[in-house]
């Protein structure tokens, strides 16, 4: 009984829901980056593919699960635009890790994911209000 109460309390916290949804997006992003690298696709192209797929997934997960709000197309575009601003940061980080430090993608991608988590958190806070009564 105490365990179920604790789980219910955690699920009702936005920060826990944000982290859980972000972990799903991070896993998808890493699958795209590592899998794409494995078949020989350039990391620059992979960043663009990962941006669109995980950005779209993140918006819908955060609107429907994290913030429990009503999504709106203009806010979706704002969210993707904010994520797009992070693309040069991602490209720069991959350049550093892969070319200067000579790390393989299966090591570089998780490191970049952790660094970009901080940026993406700030982007989500700007694009999606924390008050679930607002339409977004």
């Amino acid at each position: 009984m105490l365990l179920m109460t604790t789980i219910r309390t955690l699920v009702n916290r936005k920060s826990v829901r944000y982290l859980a949804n972000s972990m799903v997006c991070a896993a998808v992003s890493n699958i795209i980056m590592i899998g794409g690298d494995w078949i020989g696709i350039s990391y620059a192209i992979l960043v663009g593919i990962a941006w669109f797929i995980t950005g779209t997934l993140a918006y819908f997960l955060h609107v429907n699960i994290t913030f429990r709000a009503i999504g709106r197309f203009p806010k979706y575009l704002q969210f993707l635009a904010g994520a797009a601003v992070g693309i040069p940061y991602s490209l720069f980080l991959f350049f550093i890790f892969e070319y200067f430090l000579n790390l393989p993608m299966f090591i570089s991608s998780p490191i970049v994911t952790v660094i970009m988590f901080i940026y993406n958190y700030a982007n989500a806070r700007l694009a999606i209000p924390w008050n679930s009564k607002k339409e977004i």
Side-chain angles (χ1 to χ4, degrees):
M1 188 73 156
L2 179 62
L3 177 62
M4 290 306 294
T5 303
T6 303
I7 291 171
R8 212 171 285 118
T9 301
L10 287 174
V11 168
N12 285 329
R13 289 192 172 155
K14 286 180 188 152
S15 58
V16 172
R17 294 191 312 259
Y18 180 88
L19 182 60
N21 290 330
S22 295
M23 290 173 64
V24 169
C25 292
V28 169
S29 179
N30 279 287
I31 289 168
I32 292 168
M33 295 301 296
I34 295 167
D37 181 68
W38 185 69
I39 62 173
I41 301 173
S42 164
Y43 74 88
I45 293 169
L46 291 171
V47 166
I49 293 169
W51 160 77
F52 180 75
I53 292 172
T54 59
T56 299
L57 176 63
Y59 181 78
F60 288 106
L61 287 175
H62 289 318
V63 164
N64 293 303
I65 297 172
T66 304
F67 304 110
R68 298 176 180 165
I70 299 169
R72 294 286 181 238
F73 189 69
K75 289 295 186 177
Y76 164 69
L77 294 177
Q78 178 185 351
F79 185 83
L80 280 183
V85 171
I87 289 174
Y89 304 134
S90 290
L91 289 173
F92 176 72
L93 290 169
F94 278 114
F95 182 77
I96 296 292
F97 292 128
E98 289 218 355
Y99 290 101
F100 282 115
L101 299 177
N102 203 28
L103 296 174
M105 182 61 79
F106 70 89
I107 295 174
S108 299
S109 188
I111 295 170
V112 171
T113 298
V114 169
I115 295 168
M116 292 305 297
F117 174 83
I118 297 164
Y119 171 81
N120 290 326
Y121 177 81
N123 177 45
R125 285 287 283 142
L126 292 173
I128 303 171
W130 287 75
N131 181 351
S132 62
K133 292 180 181 21
K134 291 185 178 181
E135 289 188 8
I136 56 171

